[in-house]
PDB file of all heavy atoms in Angstrom:
ATOM      1  N   ALA A 206      41.876 133.875 122.190  1.00 97.00           N
ATOM      2  CA  ALA A 206      40.835 134.445 121.330  1.00 97.00           C
ATOM      3  C   ALA A 206      39.797 133.402 120.900  1.00 97.00           C
ATOM      4  O   ALA A 206      38.793 133.748 120.282  1.00 97.00           O
ATOM      5  CB  ALA A 206      41.484 135.079 120.093  1.00 97.00           C
ATOM      6  N   GLY A 207      40.083 132.119 121.170  1.00 96.00           N
ATOM      7  CA  GLY A 207      39.152 131.061 120.753  1.00 96.00           C
ATOM      8  C   GLY A 207      39.089 130.873 119.244  1.00 96.00           C
ATOM      9  O   GLY A 207      38.054 130.523 118.687  1.00 96.00           O
ATOM     10  N   VAL A 208      40.214 131.111 118.570  1.00 97.00           N
ATOM     11  CA  VAL A 208      40.264 130.997 117.107  1.00 97.00           C
ATOM     12  C   VAL A 208      41.054 129.732 116.739  1.00 97.00           C
ATOM     13  O   VAL A 208      42.115 129.481 117.313  1.00 97.00           O
ATOM     14  CB  VAL A 208      40.971 132.238 116.503  1.00 97.00           C
ATOM     15  CG1 VAL A 208      41.244 132.057 115.014  1.00 97.00           C
ATOM     16  CG2 VAL A 208      40.138 133.489 116.748  1.00 97.00           C
ATOM     17  N   PRO A 209      40.569 128.915 115.796  1.00 97.00           N
ATOM     18  CA  PRO A 209      41.323 127.724 115.378  1.00 97.00           C
ATOM     19  C   PRO A 209      42.702 128.091 114.818  1.00 97.00           C
ATOM     20  O   PRO A 209      42.846 129.089 114.114  1.00 97.00           O
ATOM     21  CB  PRO A 209      40.455 127.099 114.280  1.00 97.00           C
ATOM     22  CG  PRO A 209      39.114 127.719 114.409  1.00 97.00           C
ATOM     23  CD  PRO A 209      39.288 129.048 115.077  1.00 97.00           C
ATOM     24  N   PHE A 210      43.694 127.262 115.155  1.00 98.00           N
ATOM     25  CA  PHE A 210      45.092 127.510 114.764  1.00 98.00           C
ATOM     26  C   PHE A 210      45.586 126.289 114.005  1.00 98.00           C
ATOM     27  O   PHE A 210      45.694 125.200 114.561  1.00 98.00           O
ATOM     28  CB  PHE A 210      45.897 127.754 116.039  1.00 98.00           C
ATOM     29  CG  PHE A 210      47.389 127.949 115.850  1.00 98.00           C
ATOM     30  CD1 PHE A 210      47.938 128.307 114.627  1.00 98.00           C
ATOM     31  CD2 PHE A 210      48.254 127.779 116.932  1.00 98.00           C
ATOM     32  CE1 PHE A 210      49.313 128.484 114.463  1.00 98.00           C
ATOM     33  CE2 PHE A 210      49.629 127.950 116.790  1.00 98.00           C
ATOM     34  CZ  PHE A 210      50.152 128.297 115.551  1.00 98.00           C
ATOM     35  N   LEU A 211      45.869 126.484 112.712  1.00 98.00           N
ATOM     36  CA  LEU A 211      46.366 125.410 111.833  1.00 98.00           C
ATOM     37  C   LEU A 211      47.847 125.657 111.573  1.00 98.00           C
ATOM     38  O   LEU A 211      48.225 126.635 110.928  1.00 98.00           O
ATOM     39  CB  LEU A 211      45.553 125.417 110.519  1.00 98.00           C
ATOM     40  CG  LEU A 211      46.046 124.577 109.345  1.00 98.00           C
ATOM     41  CD1 LEU A 211      46.314 123.136 109.718  1.00 98.00           C
ATOM     42  CD2 LEU A 211      45.034 124.646 108.203  1.00 98.00           C
ATOM     43  N   LEU A 212      48.678 124.758 112.077  1.00 98.00           N
ATOM     44  CA  LEU A 212      50.123 124.933 111.963  1.00 98.00           C
ATOM     45  C   LEU A 212      50.698 123.984 110.919  1.00 98.00           C
ATOM     46  O   LEU A 212      50.482 122.774 110.974  1.00 98.00           O
ATOM     47  CB  LEU A 212      50.793 124.657 113.323  1.00 98.00           C
ATOM     48  CG  LEU A 212      52.303 124.910 113.364  1.00 98.00           C
ATOM     49  CD1 LEU A 212      52.630 126.388 113.232  1.00 98.00           C
ATOM     50  CD2 LEU A 212      52.912 124.355 114.658  1.00 98.00           C
ATOM     51  N   ASP A 213      51.446 124.532 109.981  1.00 98.00           N
ATOM     52  CA  ASP A 213      52.197 123.730 109.021  1.00 98.00           C
ATOM     53  C   ASP A 213      53.562 123.445 109.646  1.00 98.00           C
ATOM     54  O   ASP A 213      54.417 124.326 109.719  1.00 98.00           O
ATOM     55  CB  ASP A 213      52.337 124.513 107.710  1.00 98.00           C
ATOM     56  CG  ASP A 213      53.163 123.774 106.674  1.00 98.00           C
ATOM     57  OD1 ASP A 213      53.933 122.871 107.043  1.00 98.00           O
ATOM     58  OD2 ASP A 213      53.049 124.124 105.485  1.00 98.00           O
ATOM     59  N   ALA A 214      53.722 122.207 110.105  1.00 98.00           N
ATOM     60  CA  ALA A 214      54.967 121.819 110.782  1.00 98.00           C
ATOM     61  C   ALA A 214      55.786 120.881 109.902  1.00 98.00           C
ATOM     62  O   ALA A 214      56.568 120.068 110.396  1.00 98.00           O
ATOM     63  CB  ALA A 214      54.645 121.159 112.120  1.00 98.00           C
ATOM     64  N   CYS A 215      55.600 121.047 108.597  1.00 98.00           N
ATOM     65  CA  CYS A 215      56.223 120.143 107.632  1.00 98.00           C
ATOM     66  C   CYS A 215      57.752 120.122 107.767  1.00 98.00           C
ATOM     67  O   CYS A 215      58.374 119.081 107.656  1.00 98.00           O
ATOM     68  CB  CYS A 215      55.831 120.598 106.240  1.00 98.00           C
ATOM     69  SG  CYS A 215      56.207 119.402 104.990  1.00 98.00           S
ATOM     70  N   GLN A 216      58.351 121.300 108.011  1.00 98.00           N
ATOM     71  CA  GLN A 216      59.812 121.370 108.101  1.00 98.00           C
ATOM     72  C   GLN A 216      60.306 121.244 109.543  1.00 98.00           C
ATOM     73  O   GLN A 216      61.518 121.180 109.765  1.00 98.00           O
ATOM     74  CB  GLN A 216      60.336 122.686 107.500  1.00 98.00           C
ATOM     75  CG  GLN A 216      60.177 122.809 105.999  1.00 98.00           C
ATOM     76  CD  GLN A 216      61.043 121.853 105.200  1.00 98.00           C
ATOM     77  OE1 GLN A 216      61.770 121.016 105.734  1.00 98.00           O
ATOM     78  NE2 GLN A 216      60.972 121.959 103.881  1.00 98.00           N
ATOM     79  N   SER A 217      59.414 121.259 110.512  1.00 98.00           N
ATOM     80  CA  SER A 217      59.905 121.185 111.888  1.00 98.00           C
ATOM     81  C   SER A 217      59.829 119.774 112.462  1.00 98.00           C
ATOM     82  O   SER A 217      60.717 119.370 113.222  1.00 98.00           O
ATOM     83  CB  SER A 217      59.168 122.180 112.788  1.00 98.00           C
ATOM     84  OG  SER A 217      57.793 122.203 112.546  1.00 98.00           O
ATOM     85  N   VAL A 218      58.804 118.999 112.079  1.00 98.00           N
ATOM     86  CA  VAL A 218      58.702 117.635 112.606  1.00 98.00           C
ATOM     87  C   VAL A 218      59.894 116.812 112.111  1.00 98.00           C
ATOM     88  O   VAL A 218      60.167 116.772 110.920  1.00 98.00           O
ATOM     89  CB  VAL A 218      57.364 116.988 112.171  1.00 98.00           C
ATOM     90  CG1 VAL A 218      57.383 115.483 112.421  1.00 98.00           C
ATOM     91  CG2 VAL A 218      56.202 117.638 112.907  1.00 98.00           C
ATOM     92  N   GLY A 219      60.598 116.189 113.029  1.00 98.00           N
ATOM     93  CA  GLY A 219      61.779 115.391 112.671  1.00 98.00           C
ATOM     94  C   GLY A 219      63.084 116.132 112.863  1.00 98.00           C
ATOM     95  O   GLY A 219      64.136 115.510 112.941  1.00 98.00           O
ATOM     96  N   GLN A 220      63.042 117.479 112.902  1.00 97.00           N
ATOM     97  CA  GLN A 220      64.292 118.206 113.181  1.00 97.00           C
ATOM     98  C   GLN A 220      64.224 118.970 114.503  1.00 97.00           C
ATOM     99  O   GLN A 220      65.238 119.183 115.138  1.00 97.00           O
ATOM    100  CB  GLN A 220      64.698 119.143 112.043  1.00 97.00           C
ATOM    101  CG  GLN A 220      63.876 120.414 111.888  1.00 97.00           C
ATOM    102  CD  GLN A 220      64.700 121.594 111.362  1.00 97.00           C
ATOM    103  OE1 GLN A 220      65.789 121.857 111.838  1.00 97.00           O
ATOM    104  NE2 GLN A 220      64.168 122.289 110.374  1.00 97.00           N
ATOM    105  N   LEU A 221      63.013 119.392 114.909  1.00 98.00           N
ATOM    106  CA  LEU A 221      62.857 120.119 116.170  1.00 98.00           C
ATOM    107  C   LEU A 221      61.985 119.294 117.114  1.00 98.00           C
ATOM    108  O   LEU A 221      61.223 118.439 116.683  1.00 98.00           O
ATOM    109  CB  LEU A 221      62.199 121.486 115.923  1.00 98.00           C
ATOM    110  CG  LEU A 221      62.871 122.420 114.916  1.00 98.00           C
ATOM    111  CD1 LEU A 221      62.086 123.723 114.797  1.00 98.00           C
ATOM    112  CD2 LEU A 221      64.319 122.706 115.289  1.00 98.00           C
ATOM    113  N   ASP A 222      62.108 119.601 118.375  1.00 98.00           N
ATOM    114  CA  ASP A 222      61.299 118.927 119.380  1.00 98.00           C
ATOM    115  C   ASP A 222      59.913 119.571 119.379  1.00 98.00           C
ATOM    116  O   ASP A 222      59.715 120.619 119.968  1.00 98.00           O
ATOM    117  CB  ASP A 222      61.989 119.089 120.743  1.00 98.00           C
ATOM    118  CG  ASP A 222      61.317 118.271 121.812  1.00 98.00           C
ATOM    119  OD1 ASP A 222      60.537 117.364 121.464  1.00 98.00           O
ATOM    120  OD2 ASP A 222      61.575 118.534 123.002  1.00 98.00           O
TER     121      ASP A 222
END
Side-chain angles (χ1 to χ4, degrees):
V208 171
F210 177 20
L211 169 52
L212 184 68
D213 177 340
C215 193
Q216 292 292 3
S217 43
V218 167
Q220 73 148 313
L221 305 180
D222 187 16

